Amino acid sequence: MTDIAAAAAVPQISPAADARLMLAAAARWRWWEFAVWIAALAAIVVFPRNLLLLNEIAILALFALSLDLILGFAGIVSLGHAAFFGVGAYAAGLLGKFGYGDPFLGLAAAAAVAAVLGFATSFLLLRGSDLTRLMVTLGIALMLLELANREAWLTGGADGLQGVTIGPVLGLFDFDLSGRTAYLYSLGVLFVLFLLARRIIHSPFGLSLRAVKQNPLRARAIGISVAVRLVAIYTLSAAFAGVAGALSAQTTQYVSLEVFDFIRSADVMLVLVLGGVGYLYGGIFGALIFKLMQDYLSAITPQYWQFWIGLVLVILVLAGRERIGAQLTRLFAPLLRWRRA
Amino acid sequence: MTVALETRNLVKRFGGLVATDDVSIAFQKGVRYALIGPNGAGKTTLINLLTGVLRPTGGAVILEGADITGMAPHRRVQNGLARTFQINQLFPEMTPLQTVGLAVSERQGHGREWWRLAGGKREVIDEAAAILERFGLTDVMGAETKVLPYGKQRLLEIAVAIACRPRVLLLDEPAAGVPEEERHEILDIVGGLPDDVTILLIEHDMDLVFSFAQRIAVLVNGGLFMEGAAKDIAADPRVREVYLGEGGHG
């Protein structure tokens, strides 16, 4: 920060100094980012009755963030991201069932198992079109669903995994019925992993992913091994999704076969598109919008609430986020000018 | 003289079509070459074989004495063989600064560093800024590439290749599609590239070819028709017949 201030004080700056400032500016925190996290924390006090819902939102946001890492930053489409959510959930759930209930141990195990699965399956996605990738990811999630269904001795099969016992967070905070510990725990994990993701996308590695997404031919022509980068980000994304699954298993103390469900993979894509792909906050905003709409609409019309989600999605995709964004910006332009002045 | 890049009996068949027909040619270190030939002579196929985009049906590609015939394209770049594309291949939503900075950072081996913010390495930024300045891109280095005028994008195309600090550089029609008034900018840049870099220029523009190249290789129907000093090629009646005559159509 001091060298930015020093550079700004000199009226004539060299192109190199200018370049440094420009790159540093890209990674700087915006005011609204602070607002998002403060609001998330403040929600505990403001909505003490809705902590279980907030917990679900935080978990879904993390799951969508994991998808954003591959879809938004590396251009890998997936219709089977629930595979990683699911193995993470079962890993943490099984640990809890067999007496290893420490929450962070469960998270680590879930991340590791999901990462191994992500690494192993990433090689199937290196070649081929978007359609191939959609089908391969979909197929893997389906296989895992049936595997979990068949191996009922371990997973509980269609009855779900019962008897999951999770110890207190850090040995201090028991999971309570109101969901207060659950929400704080999930929010904390989301925040830490978000910081990691934010760091990564603004790193040289993150920049190279964007290059690979935008033009793999040129990326190779500047010496980037496209395959290695894709394997790396897919593995990381899988680990994130595994952690989201673990949070779900730990905070509900239950795992059902639905963790692998196709609907879950489709929903997370929907959530990410609702919130916007490729700027890291899409998962958070999308999860918020999705869950609030679900909560509100399903109270009014329990059977048909997805109609409205579908409508919003269609409008958003057809009208284009940029155009809607531009309208909003114009609406708020006087306010922004006032803030700058 | 040492050989920078060489092909030995290089053959590429697409089904029944022979796109590259037994081409053996040696490019000497530090010499400027032009590769010419009528449309469909196999120039682009040859470039794709040299850079590894295509695998040859037979023969070998040798870079500084090492056989690179089976080497992946990105590894060839790391070994000093860079290229530009006839049709711009850039990163539309990245800025020239990010694009050149990325190429420099990859070359310096920082590409897998995920824990550090991009723009933190002084040696990367300084070199990227110097390249952008040399190519007259400093003014626009913070704008998204897709909004740049075509001529600037063309310059960036060459700047990215230079950022890889190649010892052998393949330029695929660098001035293609550039309006007349911006052409000289490209020509100056191409003419001013470092002397120790071996350059192979593929070009239709004969003014550019003869102002730039010391030696010229002529491809016809996938085969090497002739290779020699620029003035000998210019004077050769057979070349005038097969190439310059046909060039009149294009």
Side-chain angles (χ1 to χ4, degrees), chain B residues 216-246:
Chain B
I216 295 177
V218 187
L219 276 187
V220 177
N221 293 331
L224 182 64
F225 184 73
M226 188 177 275
E227 193 269 331
K231 59 178 189 325
D232 298 339
I233 297 288
D236 195 289
R238 289 170 302 168
V239 172
R240 300 191 78 87
E241 190 185 326
V242 296
Y243 183 73
L244 301 178
E246 177 135 0

Side-chain angles (χ1 to χ4, degrees), chain A residues 1-339:
Chain A
M1 275 326 212
T2 48
D3 88 25
I4 288 171
V10 183
Q12 279 285 321
I13 44 177
S14 74
D18 211 4
R20 206 166 293 122
L21 286 176
M22 227 175 246
L23 289 171
R28 200 172 299 142
W29 280 75
R30 314 280 191 276
W31 64 269
W32 59 266
E33 295 188 74
F34 292 105
V36 168
W37 294 105
I38 291 168
L41 203 57
I44 302 171
V45 191
V46 184
F47 304 106
R49 277 176 228 269
N50 302 88
L51 293 171
L52 289 172
L53 177 66
L54 286 167
N55 180 50
E56 284 177 35
I57 293 174
I59 293 170
L60 184 58
L62 178 59
F63 188 31
L65 171 65
S66 80
L67 182 65
D68 203 11
L69 283 178
I70 55 166
L71 181 61
F73 295 98
I76 304 171
V77 289
S78 169
L79 265 184
H81 218 48
F84 307 118
F85 186 94
V87 293
Y90 275 109
L94 285 168
L95 274 181
K97 184 178 178 178
F98 292 111
Y100 301 95
D102 181 70
F104 289 110
L105 179 71
L107 292 188
V113 171
V116 168
L117 180 67
F119 179 78
T121 55
S122 66
F123 295 92
L124 304 173
L125 305 173
L126 293 179
R127 283 157 191 275
S129 62
D130 284 351
L131 181 64
T132 320
R133 287 171 170 177
L134 286 175
M135 291 306 115
V136 168
T137 50
L138 178 61
I140 290 167
L142 283 176
M143 292 190 316
L144 285 168
L145 172 63
E146 286 310 333
L147 220 73
N149 192 13
R150 188 160 169 268
E151 305 302 318
W153 61 273
L154 184 68
T155 63
D159 296 332
L161 187 67
Q162 317 263 353
V164 176
T165 319
I166 303 297
V169 179
L170 299 169
L172 295 171
F173 306 102
D174 272 310
F175 286 101
D176 52 332
L177 285 174
S178 75
R180 189 185 171 88
T181 306
Y183 176 56
L184 269 172
Y185 172 59
S186 296
L187 184 64
V189 172
L190 170 65
F191 183 61
V192 169
L193 291 186
F194 174 85
L195 288 182
L196 179 64
R198 197 179 186 284
R199 187 79 186 179
I200 289 170
I201 66 142
H202 287 116
S203 73
F205 171 74
L207 197 58
S208 79
L209 285 178
R210 264 180 282 171
V212 166
K213 181 191 175 196
Q214 291 177 30
N215 193 337
L217 182 65
R218 169 58 89 173
R220 281 189 197 94
I222 58 175
I224 294 174
S225 169
V226 170
V228 172
R229 305 291 158 94
L230 290 182
V231 168
I233 195 63
Y234 198 73
T235 304
L236 182 79
S237 164
F240 272 46
V243 171
L247 289 176
S248 167
Q250 291 175 339
T251 55
T252 60
Q253 314 219 339
Y254 175 72
V255 184
S256 76
L257 286 177
E258 280 169 24
V259 290
F260 286 122
D261 204 338
F262 167 69
I263 300 293
R264 185 178 297 275
S265 298
D267 275 352
V268 72
M269 175 102 82
L270 192 152
V271 162
L272 185 59
V273 173
L274 272 180
V277 178
Y279 73 107
L280 281 185
Y281 281 91
I284 294 171
F285 294 142
L288 191 65
I289 299 166
F290 184 81
K291 280 287 179 188
L292 290 183
M293 281 182 80
Q294 182 182 28
D295 193 55
Y296 177 73
L297 292 170
S298 64
I300 304 172
T301 150
Q303 286 172 50
Y304 307 112
W305 66 273
Q306 294 211 34
F307 174 89
W308 299 102
I309 296 262
L311 183 67
V312 170
L313 190 69
V314 169
I315 291 172
L316 206 63
V317 171
L318 287 183
R321 190 177 318 280
E322 283 83 11
R323 233 183 311 164
I324 295 170
Q327 291 294 331
L328 284 178
T329 312
R330 215 169 54 188
L331 212 62
F332 290 111
L335 193 73
L336 288 172
R337 266 202 300 279
W338 170 80
R339 207 184 67 82

